[in-house]
Amino acid sequence: MESQTRQKGLIAWFTYNPVAANLLMIFIIIAGLISYWLMTKRMMPDVQPNIVSVSVPYLGAAPKEVEEGVVVKIEEAIQDVKGIKTIRSTAREGVGTVTIELTNDTNLEEALNDIKIKVDSIATLPAETEKPVISKFEFTA
């Protein structure tokens, strides 16, 4: 005369075996603590941004002059460099900046050298411009 039907399944098995359920819980907690201690933790991750910046001072020039005389010429000169993902340009009063984002598989040093060569070979920059400043972005701790 059984009034209750016995359930089948994993959860039902654990309800009838509370020691096994407690042992499983302790095992999961210990495995989590071991994983936490073995996990690599860093304040600053090892990430290279792969971004190169070309900045050209053009003292006394309006943004329109900077765009036409500097920014467009730099964009045209570097457009065939391998590994470029995006090119963003800013023309402000007295300075033009071109920011080049490279793909992750691109060698940053090689691309930086290619960009330097291309920018240095521009012969038609206005005489009032200063020497282009070419730099790569780096994280500092």
Side-chain angles (χ1 to χ4, degrees), residues 6-37:
R6 190 168 174 125
Q7 294 180 354
K8 293 184 179 182
L10 188 61
I11 296 174
W13 185 83
F14 276 118
T15 57
Y16 292 109
N17 297 294
V19 174
N22 289 333
L23 287 174
L24 179 63
M25 179 183 64
I26 290 170
F27 173 75
I28 291 172
I29 290 171
I30 290 173
L33 290 173
I34 290 171
S35 297
Y36 175 75
W37 282 312

Side-chain angles (χ1 to χ4, degrees), residues 74-84 87 114 118:
I74 292 173
E75 287 176 349
E76 290 172 352
I78 65 169
Q79 68 184 356
D80 61 340
V81 173
K82 291 181 182 177
I84 292 180
I87 299 175
D114 289 346
K118 298 282 186 178

Side-chain angles (χ1 to χ4, degrees), residues 46-100:
D46 294 334
V47 177
Q48 291 297 332
N50 283 346
I51 296 175
V52 176
S53 173
V54 180
S55 181
V56 181
Y58 187 3
L59 302 177
K64 182 84 170 162
E65 292 173 299
V66 173
E67 180 183 6
E68 293 170 356
V70 176
V71 172
V72 172
K73 291 178 182 177
I74 292 173
E75 287 176 349
E76 290 172 352
I78 65 169
Q79 68 184 356
D80 61 340
V81 173
K82 291 181 182 177
I84 292 180
K85 187 176 182 180
T86 58
I87 299 175
R88 283 186 246 50
S89 304
T90 306
R92 296 189 177 132
E93 188 172 336
V95 68
T97 304
V98 179
T99 305
I100 304 113

